[in-house]
Structures are given as structure tokens and as C-alpha cells.
Amino acid sequence: MLFHSIRKSIFAFIFLFSSAAATAQTNLLNNPGFEQSSAGRPSGWSIDNPTAMGTANLTPAGKKSGNYALALTWAPTRPALVQLGAGQSLSSGGLLGRTLYVSGWLSASSQATAVLSALAYRRDGRTYFIQMRQGATQAPVQVKDKLAIPNDPEVLFVVVLCQIEGTGTAYFDDLSVTLTQPSGWTEPPGGGGGGGGLNAQVTVNASQTMRTVPTGLYGQNLEWVWGGHGAWDLVNNRPSPTMTALTQDMGSRLLRFPGGLLADYYDWRKAVGPLSSRPVMDTMPGSDPQVAFFGTDEALQFASAVGGELLITVNAGTGTAQMAADWVRHANRNGLTVRYWEIGNELYGVGGPMFDPITMTPQRYAQKVVEFSRAMKAADPRIKVGAIACESFLTMGCLTYPAWSETVLSMAGNDIDFLAVHNAYAPGVGNDTTSRTSDVYAAMLAAPQAIRRSLAALEQKVAVYAPARAGQIKIAVTEWGPYFSSTGASRFVEHNKTMASAVYAASVLKVFLESPGTEMANAFKLVDGVFTGWIGKRNGAYTPKAPYYVLRMFAKNFTGSIVSSATVSPTFNALSMGNVPAAAGVPYVEAIAGKSVDGRTLSIALWNKHLTSAISVECLVSNFNAAASASTWTLTGTAADSHTGTQPLPGLYTVPQASMEGNSAFHSGTTSTVTMPTGTAAVSAGKVNVTIPAASVMLLTIPSR
């Protein structure tokens, strides 16, 4: 939503360049405290998208100093993607190769969030940017972050932008943009700051049902290569007993097949029939071809063995609608074996040998969706068909093809049942060589706030661009997980196996469970010998990683309904890092509560995002006839970077991995550094007191009397 508005108003901002000289100590903004006005509007600022649904004015409310603050009020009377903003541009002269120190005092009321952004615009429309957010609060809160502008001659100008998300009023005052770190400026504490004696409170209203839990939220991805990375026993030609047991125990019942990018080059016809007659087939550009010993029929057998089902991604990159329809007929020849079908995978990707042969415009993709969907539903009208959406929680839109999701919904909304999106990977730091591990972890743990906004924005796009199908087109997050990098050249590439990543998984699952339009989710991926599997190998044996245990905890205990819960917790700030925007006021403690299908057991999951300190939590439960004792399970480690000791395949190149500052266990991971001790907690008058260790996840189950 925000970046849709930014694109719309960019030319207005160009004509309001600040005249402040780019000296080190000077605030580069004109009228940063909003004390000067013209016709009731702040001088020096361009107001974007003033309509009957939104107003911008100066008010004493929300001020930090002086007489006024900027107030942006948004009260939509219809679905709208473009909201209200005020912006000011700075010439790039003197800013290239420099760092901008950006801060401001923000507050908000009702359901609004105040958003302060700084963006350096390139000639090709791409940006370097930071974003800071502040939700509802009674007094202004200072947010701050740094924007490093590369020495890039393609950068034309910088925009500083105040915007509102949600409904209500957002306030801004005493903004500052300087070229040197202001006196008194301290780095955001991230997840590693603070000390002992931290306390939080969780309240649960067991009679207020939020939603029934969809059965497809605890899925995984299953690739066809290398025998499903061990899912298939190649010697005995059967589902691997070990992988079957681990998948069953995790509770993943919806398995996406035949892979992510692999799907856009997959010819299912070469992967069926007698193994001896199957030809060697391509995987994807740059990878070695191989025989598909784990094809559709084998994947169906594996899914049946774990008590699950497949979600199949058809080849819309190099395949045809006829191939897809024939695949439906083959899979469902003995009944409705495969209900869910996804048309293509990340066909909005650009650059490199893997994407260049298959990338396409949203218009071309939407045409394919209509063609494929109609052919596939003619083969079996009972199936559900999904199209891929392109959404980034940084931009609330598509980074490669503007308005991808909007175009697909407008052109193909009548032919789809769900939108598949990959907007829940974080922190994506790539080959970062300087950042502290605690700062990287803090950014990852702040990302679920942005993921929640992104899913809500996608639901709103369905309402705006496919209104006749609103409520019928669901959302499927068909890839998600803790993700740092895909290359061994990254010092963080293996950190998706740590306890910090397990806490991230819990926070993201909460977002999915509480997002009403999200019906399916598939973590990426079940198993592999490289970096991304939720099951890896330790000393040659398949071993679950820390996030695996979180998915298992949720899949086994949150199967009935989600009930209302709220948390009051100390908070932290996070720097912008990788693909995650800066964030302020992120709660250390989060929780989610649910009742069993029969309503006789209340489950509460709680987790602590503080990387070094335990937090005492008081849980207050109402409208549930609780027994006198709760059972507890605590997934914890000896440090935030502890893990179960899995390692990449021998000989796979990786640089030395980063570790937590201070207490670290990354380089001594074993099955004893991550544990799940059990216990009990007394319940008295609906109150339970527990202590959650640092970077840990706890489950409480309370039976009824």
C-alpha cells in the first residue's frame, strides 16, 4: 500500500526539494517540526492523496515540542489501497556514498500506525530505503534508523515520507535527517539489550473464538530431486520409514510437490511409469539432469503414508495447459486424490539463468492462469486452483513487476480459488559481512509484524480487484521460513537451524493462525542436505532442526479453534536488515491461545524474543473452567544460536559462520544443546505464572475440570 502511494506522488515530491545544504550537522529537512504552515498545510511538505477519506492538518495533539505536530487521519468508506502521506525530497547532491541518520517522534490512535520512511530513488525506479513504524500510543515515541546511500550515480533524489497505515490518526513531530550521528543517538537495542527482571502479561478469553484452524496451515515442501532428499527409500522403492515417521510426528499433512523453482521446469510425464524406463530429465538451468525416481506416484504414496495429501505446482514456465490438465487426470484417476493445484512458481522472478527462460509479465501470466485453470477444471471440476501473487512485506507489492497481484486478480480472479504467496521469508541478509548476529536476529524477529501487514494488504487487494470473489479467494503461503541466504558464501547461511529461528517460526505461525484469509501454508522445505531443510543430517542420521519442534508443537495442539488473547510486554527496536524494514516497539513476548476440537483443553503457546534474558509471564485466563494444574513443554537452548548439530553435506563450501556476541553455542551444536523439558504449573483462579527462558518457546495445556 505504501509504495503504491509513493509511486503515485513521486513527481509532486520532486518539486519540493529541501534547500538545506548537505552539511554534516544540519537537519536537511525544511520545517521538520511542522511549525510553519500555509493554508492550513505544513510548509515545505507535499500532501499525497488528500480525499474525503483522509485529511492532513497541524494539531497540538501528538506534538513532542513547539506548538504543532503533523496529523494524518484516515477513515476509509470503501476498500482503498492508496492511503495518505506527506513527503519532502532532497537532492542527491552531496548525499551519494553517505549515511543519513533519520529520526522522528511518532504516535498514533485507534487502529492506525505512523510510518516514517526515507527512500533513495534510482533512475530505473528502484530504491534504497528504510521504514520505521509506531502503533497506537499515548505519548510520542522516538524512532531512528540509518539509510546508507551507495555511491551510485543512478540515484536521483531522496524522499522522506510520513504515512498512515490502518484507520485512525498518525502523528509526526521533530523529524531529523543529518549526515552525522546526532549527539545522544544510540543504536536500537535489538533483541540483545535489556537485563533481568523483565515481566509480561498475557490475557486469554476462552469464550471469544477468532477462527477455526484450517487443516492446511502446517504444511511442508517436498522436492522431486534426489529421491525427495531422502523421503523415498531408493533401495527398497518405498517411502523412507525414517522420513515417514519424522513427517508424521511433525504433523505436516499438506505437502507441496514437486518443488519451488524446480516446478517451472518439471515434466511430470517423464517421472511416471516403470523406473527402468524413465528418462534422464532436466532439473533447472545450471543443475545436473537426473532420473526422477521420486515422481507423482511416489509422492502420492509418501503423502498417504504420513496421512497427508499433496498440493501440486504445475509447470507454467516451460509447460502447457494440456500437460497440466493431463496431470490432473493422472493424479485423480482413482478419485479426488489431489485437491489443490498451483499454477507456476515465482514466474515474476528476473535475472540469472534460472529465471531468464521463464519470467513473464503479469498480463501474460494472468492469461496463462485462465487458460490453465479452465483446462484443469475441465479435467476435474472438484479441484481448487491457485495463482501466484507477488508480494513483498517491504513494499506491500511486487519488486519486479509493479501491480502483479492486482493484474492477476483483475484478469483471472474468476478462475482461481486461492492466491499463492511467498512473503514470509526473513531476514534475507545475504552475504552480510559486518552486522552483529544479535542485530540480524532482532530484524528477523521483528519481521512477523510486516508479514501480518502484507497478508492483510493482500486480502484487501482481493476485495478491490476481484470484488465478486472477495471471501472466496483464499491465501496460501506456499513457501515460508527463516531464511538468511542461499549461498555458502554467507556467514549466516546456516542460522535457519537455530533457536532464534525457532522463535521466528512460532511468531509467523501466530500471524497465519490469526489472519482470517490465510488457509494454507507450506514451510520450505521438509528435508535437504544443504541449508534449507527443517530436517537435516547429523553424523549421517536424519535429525530435526529447532524450528521443526515449533511446527510440531503447533500442529499437535492448535487444531480446533483460536481464541482471543492479548499481551502486554516490554519491547525492542530493530534496525533495517536484509529484507526487513526497521521496526520500533516490537513485543519481546508473544502468545496465541486455542481450544481443542472438543473444547476441553486450552492450549497457550508463548515465546520470548529476548536473546539473553528470561521473562516472567502472568497468564490470566477467563471463561474457561480450568483444572488446578497445567502441563508445560519448553523448547529452549543454551544460547539464541544453539541448534541440534545438523551440518550441510560433507564437502559443501561454506564460509565460517557468525555467532552470537557473548553467550554462543553455534559452534558446539548437539542434540543436547536444544531440549524440551516438561513440567507443570499451578492454575489458581484462572492465573498461571511461568518464566520463559531467553529465545525459547513454551506450551501450556490446561484441561477443563
Side-chain angles (χ1 to χ4, degrees), residues 233-271:
D233 180 347
L234 296 175
V235 175
N236 297 296
N237 194 31
R238 63 178 183 178
S240 161
T242 300
M243 286 304 304
T244 297
L246 285 171
T247 307
Q248 282 179 326
D249 188 48
M250 181 166 48
S252 288
R253 298 292 183 261
L254 183 65
L255 303 175
R256 181 176 179 248
F257 178 82
L261 192 56
L262 290 168
D264 290 323
Y265 294 94
Y266 184 74
D267 187 343
W268 73 271
R269 300 168 299 182
K270 296 180 179 179

Side-chain angles (χ1 to χ4, degrees), residues 50-55 75 77:
T51 69
M53 298 191 296
T55 59
T77 56

Side-chain angles (χ1 to χ4, degrees), residues 106-114 133-141 165 167-171 584-585:
L106 278 55
S107 58
S109 69
S110 187
Q111 302 300 311
T113 298
R133 288 176 166 82
Q134 180 59 48
T137 181
Q138 291 184 346
V141 175
E165 285 183 344
T167 302
T169 302
Y171 302 96

Side-chain angles (χ1 to χ4, degrees), residues 217-222 425 477-481 521-526 534 551:
L217 284 183
Y218 306 122
Q220 278 283 356
N221 273 265
L222 186 63
Y425 281 127
V477 187
T478 54
E479 290 184 20
W480 73 275
N522 302 82
F524 194 87
K525 55 190 168 181
L526 178 65
W534 287 48
L551 190 58

Side-chain angles (χ1 to χ4, degrees), residues 412-500:
N414 290 332
D415 290 275
I416 62 174
D417 303 291
F418 63 91
L419 282 172
V421 64
H422 298 168
N423 63 342
Y425 281 127
V429 292
N431 295 347
D432 182 298
T433 59
T434 60
S435 296
R436 299 188 309 164
T437 301
S438 57
D439 288 337
V440 173
Y441 282 178
M444 174 177 66
L445 295 174
Q449 290 187 335
I451 294 168
R452 184 184 296 274
R453 291 191 296 270
S454 178
L455 290 173
L458 185 55
E459 287 189 44
Q460 191 176 30
K461 288 180 182 180
V462 173
V464 172
Y465 293 97
R469 300 276 291 153
Q472 300 177 60
I473 297 176
K474 304 300 183 179
I475 295 174
V477 187
T478 54
E479 290 184 20
W480 73 275
Y483 171 80
F484 294 79
S485 177
S486 59
T487 169
S490 169
R491 54 197 278 266
F492 290 104
V493 68
E494 292 186 57
H495 279 254
N496 58 356
K497 63 186 179 183
T498 64
M499 273 305 307

